[in-house]
Every structure is written in C-alpha cells, then in structure tokens.
C-alpha cells in the first residue's frame, strides 16, 4: 500500500487553493458528497458543535476536508474553514 504524500501549507495558501479550484462552490452546490465525522463540543463558541467534514467527488475520491463549528439546534454556522485538499498526487494540509 502506498503512503499518501502530504505537504503542509499556510492557512492563506489553502484558502486560495480552495477558491482557485472551486471547492467551496462545489460544497455549496452539493456536487461533492460530504461525510461528517463525530461531533465534539466547541471550546471556542458556546453552544457550538465542532466537526471535521470530508468531501468526496462522484467517483468516491476524497478531495477536501473542512472544519465547521455550528449550533446544531439552529443551524447557525459560527466558523467554517479549510483543513486540507488533494492536488494531483499531493494532499495539502493546513499547517
């Protein structure tokens, strides 16, 4: 089994890559399938639930991950940012 090649990049670089490759648009349009990992209470936002979200393309390839904190009762999103994305053969991960 081959090991995934990863590279750490700054939050600003990852944010720019998400924009350039239309990851946020694909998430909003629901053209990516999203799987939510186990929730944990947010320590930053009172009443918030923190989750890592994994985003997959139509072929089932993991193309991006995000981190979101929201109020699960109201649906209000307090925070949502980029965590990582696949770029060719390299996984870019926020440092």
């Amino acid at each position: 089994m081959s090991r995934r090649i990863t590279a750490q990049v700054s939050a600003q670089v990852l944010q720019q890559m998400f924009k350039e490759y239309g990851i946020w648009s694909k998430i909003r349009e629901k053209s990516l399938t999203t799987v939510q990992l186990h929730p944990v209470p947010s320590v930053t936002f009172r009443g918030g639930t923190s989750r890592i979200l994994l985003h997959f393309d139509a072929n089932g390839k993991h193309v991006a991950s995000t981190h979101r904190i929201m109020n699960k009762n109201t649906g209000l999103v307090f925070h949502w940012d980029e965590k990582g994305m696949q770029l060719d053969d390299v996984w870019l991960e926020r440092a």
Side-chain angles (χ1 to χ4, degrees), residues 13-25 27 55 63-66 81-85:
V13 167
L14 191 57
Q15 183 179 53
Q16 185 62 35
M17 298 301 286
F18 261 59
K19 286 180 186 175
E20 285 183 27
Y21 285 86
I23 302 294
W24 284 119
S25 296
I27 291 169
H55 308 283
V63 296
S65 295
T66 57
D81 67 352
E82 307 82 0
K83 184 155 176 55
M85 72 173 276

Side-chain angles (χ1 to χ4, degrees), residues 46 48 51 53 56 60 68 86 95:
R46 186 179 179 153
R51 286 185 190 258
L53 307 171
F56 299 87
R68 182 178 70 197
Q86 190 72 35

Side-chain angles (χ1 to χ4, degrees), residues 42-46 69:
S42 172
V43 295
T44 312
F45 295 93
R46 186 179 179 153
I69 302 173

